[in-house]
Amino acid sequence: MKQHKIHYDVRFETPQSHLFELECHIAHPAAEGQRLSLPAWLPGSYLIRDFARHIVGISASSHGQDIRLQKIDKNTWIAAPCKHPLVIRYQVYAYDLSVRTAYLDHTRAYFNGSSLFLQVAGQEQEPCSVEIHHPGKAYAGWSIATTLPARKTDTNGFGLYEASDYQALIDYPVEIGDLAIAEFKAMGVAHRLVVSGRHEADLKTISRDLKKICERHIRFFGEAPFKRYDFLLYAAADNQYGGLEHRDSTSLICPRSWLPVKHEQHDRQQYQDFLGLCSHEYFHAWHVKRIRPAAFANPDLGRESYTRLLWVFEGFTAYYDTLALVRSGLMSEQEYLAALSKDITRYLRTPGRRVQALEESSFDAWIKLYKPDENTPNSQISYYLKGSLVALAMDLSLRLKGHSLDEVMLALWKGFKQGMFVAEGSMQGLIQETCGEKLTALFRDCVQGCEDPPLEKLLLKFGIRLTGPSLSDADLVRQWLGMQLASDDTRISHVLSGSAAELAGLAAGDIIIAHDNLKASANSLQRILKRGRQQISLHFFRRDELMVTAIKPHDHALANITLALVDKRNAQQDQLRQDWLGIN
């Protein structure tokens, strides 16, 4: 069978080595010498990951003869000129469980193309083909799940695939292993839920609920931008969670304990968190994979592509992902308010919101969001979190004027279909053009500045009151000492700026061993704070040095926020809220 001018072979005959064996066949290498590179990042995850560091060995040949291959920077090689087709052979180490790279062992194989496929300079627009070879008899039960267009494959999916160009090729994640698959249709479009990893998930229930979410989003935009869609889910341990969007699929990872099991009671909140993750990545099929910033129109995957609009693309998506659960009947109004309460609480507990503007958070994603440290809460704010709350404030503000953020999203979708990308600084103008409202204060104070969105005032107009709980409901260590303890009980993970802990000389990494000459624990600290002590003597280790300090607790106004319906509401408040949430 004739192959494309660019062809890749993928082999993994010894999965326990965690090494993919690859060949890149170039029919017409550049006369002056062929340049090749591996991306440094992948769309949807804004961090330089330097995938080339996982290449173990690489060589080149042509017509049976070795060709000199010179590495010229961290992720780029040049092959010496040759008259015949060029073959690049290399190995890629793959042992990262995240959705962003590649993984291989005797239980499962997974990869994003950006981790495996070399980019052939000057031929990025050429169609390319990929042959994925079966690993052997020991893995006879393995099959492949991907939306990469198949050209000629066997019943398990091994064989030849093709893509229109390099950018398309690396946007099709591939899941391989002993897969559990459930199929369903949403608005006539074929969908699959593909689950790998050890689990007992009730795929029928999950598919039923995913169908509702998918239909909600398709109806919202008025059309599906794909002919089929895959949810590729790895059921993992309790500390694994994440998702990455693609044009017609998503890669997901979540704790297996979050998934419902047939005939067993499941944790409704955790299951809703999982559905929210699916909703988020699915929404991205429109908003990020198609509607996108001009900076991502044709990005250079070897270096950062900066934009101040991630608060729109991730923040708006984070707003709509949970709202879609309410609008599709998978979350009650009370459950939504509880989830929103947690988001507002988390936001108000972040001192960094007073330091970093939302646009700056977007711009600095490359060096900050994915590289948190002990000072992150004091210096940063997430464009996911604040972006979603600003989206909420914008939506409520527009609804009070007879419009909504929904109209803005549809205007963005219309713009994409007309071939437009979202320019920097254009959102305020788009909202004004669409809804006739400038939202000047929100943009000035909450997007370009560091002010909090006026949610308390806005929510009250929808019959929702924002209040704080009783002292007994609060995390008193955080509330009165201004520090966060790590999961190992008394090790400090964060100390908030201006807090009692900071004034007492405590720092992240310190381990508290005693208070007032008694052995310390998280519970004992909570108990002594509840008693209202004015000063506490603390013994702690900093590295291997024993130290002592006196700490004077004071209220840091970090208690949980609660949202609840106002008892005496009027008909206008109820109607506004029902229209917003899509409930009767």
Side-chain angles (χ1 to χ4, degrees):
M1 181 177 291
K2 184 179 178 181
Q3 297 174 344
H4 290 293
K5 294 179 182 178
I6 307 296
H7 173 78
Y8 303 87
D9 283 293
V10 181
R11 294 182 173 86
F12 44 101
E13 296 174 359
T14 56
Q16 63 272 24
S17 70
H18 317 301
L19 291 173
F20 283 101
E21 303 276 350
L22 290 116
E23 292 182 0
C24 176
H25 297 257
I26 306 165
H28 304 292
E32 69 277 12
Q34 183 61 61
R35 181 185 294 255
L36 307 115
S37 63
L38 202 63
W41 63 281
L42 77 167
S45 184
Y46 311 110
L47 175 70
I48 297 298
R49 298 184 183 276
D50 291 329
F51 300 123
R53 67 193 176 93
H54 296 299
I55 291 182
V56 175
I58 185 169
S59 62
S61 64
S62 178
H63 209 57
Q65 300 295 316
D66 291 342
I67 297 295
R68 183 170 179 266
L69 188 65
Q70 182 181 9
K71 191 171 186 179
I72 60 172
D73 62 31
K74 65 180 181 179
N75 66 329
T76 308
W77 294 260
I78 292 183
C82 56
K83 297 180 179 179
H84 300 285
L86 179 66
V87 181
I88 309 295
R89 294 180 176 87
Y90 57 105
Q91 295 176 315
V92 175
Y93 181 76
Y95 203 52
D96 180 1
L97 271 179
S98 82
V99 297
R100 306 177 187 96
T101 51
Y103 183 87
L104 178 63
D105 69 7
H106 66 285
T107 67
R108 170 182 179 248
Y110 168 84
F111 62 84
N112 286 286
S114 50
S115 292
L116 263 60
F117 299 131
L118 287 168
Q119 179 173 285
V120 182
Q123 301 189 49
E124 295 90 346
Q125 304 305 315
E126 289 286 341
C128 45
S129 57
V130 177
E131 183 160 5
I132 305 176
H133 298 262
H134 197 288
K137 291 182 179 179
Y139 306 95
W142 280 20
S143 60
I144 293 179
T146 182
T147 53
L148 182 63
R151 187 174 175 189
K152 185 178 181 180
T153 58
D154 63 21
T155 55
N156 286 353
F158 290 93
L160 196 62
Y161 294 84
E162 59 187 359
S164 58
D165 55 38
Y166 183 80
Q167 285 287 343
L169 174 66
I170 65 172
D171 200 30
Y172 295 106
V174 178
E175 183 73 59
I176 308 172
D178 185 7
L179 308 176
I181 300 176
E183 299 181 355
F184 63 95
K185 286 189 175 182
M187 306 296 290
V189 179
H191 290 67
R192 294 194 304 174
L193 169 65
V194 180
V195 186
S196 63
R198 187 172 297 182
H199 68 93
E200 300 178 72
D202 181 355
L203 269 59
K204 184 176 181 180
T205 295
I206 300 173
S207 298
R208 177 199 67 200
D209 294 340
L210 285 179
K211 175 183 173 73
K212 294 178 182 178
I213 295 170
C214 296
E215 290 184 338
R216 172 69 242 179
H217 287 315
I218 293 172
R219 287 194 185 100
F220 180 83
F221 285 102
E223 60 187 311
F226 38 72
K227 294 182 179 179
R228 60 190 181 111
Y229 192 93
D230 278 359
F231 292 91
L232 305 179
L233 170 65
Y234 177 64
D238 285 344
N239 62 343
Q240 298 287 331
Y241 175 82
L244 185 65
E245 69 274 6
H246 299 275
R247 284 181 68 86
D248 54 11
S249 64
T250 179
S251 288
L252 308 165
I253 184 169
C254 83
R256 62 179 63 90
S257 59
W258 288 17
L259 306 176
V261 176
K262 198 171 183 179
H263 305 306
E264 290 186 11
Q265 187 173 1
H266 63 270
D267 187 307
R268 183 172 172 84
Q269 182 179 319
Q270 289 183 340
Y271 182 49
Q272 287 173 339
D273 287 343
F274 163 71
L275 293 177
L277 173 65
C278 295
S279 177
H280 185 99
E281 304 306 335
Y282 194 72
F283 194 85
H284 272 325
W286 290 266
H287 191 54
V288 163
K289 296 310 298 182
R290 289 166 175 86
I291 307 167
R292 59 188 189 269
F296 296 163
N298 187 26
D300 181 349
L301 296 179
R303 64 183 65 186
E304 298 88 344
S305 292
Y306 292 98
T307 176
R308 289 181 166 83
L309 288 169
L310 291 180
W311 67 274
V312 173
F313 288 90
E314 292 296 351
F316 281 24
T317 303
Y319 170 61
Y320 276 105
D321 62 23
T322 311
L323 186 59
L325 300 189
V326 185
R327 291 177 171 178
S328 58
L330 294 169
M331 177 180 277
S332 70
E333 182 178 9
Q334 291 72 25
E335 289 171 327
Y336 179 65
L337 293 182
L340 193 55
S341 299
K342 290 183 179 179
D343 286 344
I344 296 173
T345 297
R346 193 156 53 96
Y347 169 75
L348 292 175
R349 284 180 169 181
T350 307
R353 77 186 199 279
R354 298 295 192 191
V355 176
Q356 186 183 46
L358 193 50
E359 284 189 336
E360 293 173 0
S361 175
S362 300
F363 194 81
D364 283 341
W366 296 96
I367 58 172
K368 292 189 175 182
L369 181 73
Y370 294 95
K371 296 180 178 181
D373 58 30
E374 65 279 356
N375 195 48
T376 291
N378 297 322
S379 61
Q380 300 177 39
I381 190 63
S382 165
Y383 52 78
Y384 284 86
L385 179 57
K386 186 175 183 181
S388 70
L389 297 179
V390 168
L392 169 61
M394 289 181 170
D395 197 8
L396 299 184
S397 298
L398 292 171
R399 287 179 181 277
L400 290 172
K401 299 292 186 178
H403 296 279
S404 72
L405 196 63
D406 297 357
E407 298 172 48
V408 178
M409 292 306 308
L410 293 177
L412 286 168
W413 179 239
K414 180 181 178 181
F416 161 75
K417 293 195 293 182
Q418 294 174 345
M420 298 168 57
F421 296 102
V422 184
E424 299 293 306
S426 66
M427 280 305 299
Q428 187 172 7
L430 175 66
I431 293 174
Q432 183 177 5
E433 180 182 344
T434 304
C435 302
E437 301 294 332
K438 292 184 177 180
L439 301 184
T440 302
L442 278 174
F443 274 91
R444 181 191 64 230
D445 300 338
C446 304
V447 176
Q448 296 152 358
C450 298
E451 296 300 314
D452 298 334
L455 294 177
E456 183 174 4
K457 178 181 177 181
L458 288 168
L459 287 166
L460 192 58
K461 295 181 183 295
F462 288 72
I464 301 168
R465 179 173 286 114
L466 187 153
T467 60
S470 65
L471 192 62
S472 61
D473 295 327
D475 177 349
L476 299 185
V477 173
R478 176 187 277 269
Q479 178 80 11
W480 288 94
L481 303 184
M483 66 186 188
Q484 179 70 45
L485 297 179
S487 57
D488 55 359
D489 205 31
T490 60
R491 183 177 64 84
I492 301 173
S493 60
H494 300 290
V495 171
L496 303 183
S497 296
S499 65
E502 184 182 69
L503 294 174
L506 293 165
D510 292 348
I511 301 173
I512 301 171
I513 60 172
H515 53 77
D516 297 325
N517 297 314
L518 296 173
K519 184 179 178 180
S521 69
N523 288 334
S524 67
L525 284 170
Q526 290 273 21
R527 287 195 299 269
I528 197 170
L529 288 167
K530 192 174 291 187
R531 287 159 51 189
R533 292 285 295 276
Q534 299 298 305
Q535 181 169 301
I536 304 170
S537 173
L538 293 179
H539 284 77
F540 62 97
F541 275 113
R542 176 168 298 168
R543 295 179 291 275
D544 60 347
E545 297 181 46
L546 180 62
M547 299 183 178
V548 63
T549 189
I551 189 168
K552 296 180 179 180
H554 66 264
D555 190 353
H556 294 85
L558 296 172
N560 294 330
I561 293 302
T562 298
L563 297 180
L565 295 180
V566 175
D567 291 333
K568 295 181 180 180
R569 303 183 303 275
N570 59 44
Q572 183 183 21
Q573 289 174 317
D574 284 341
Q575 190 62 56
L576 282 168
R577 192 178 65 261
Q578 290 165 10
D579 290 344
W580 164 42
L581 298 178
I583 58 178
N584 297 322

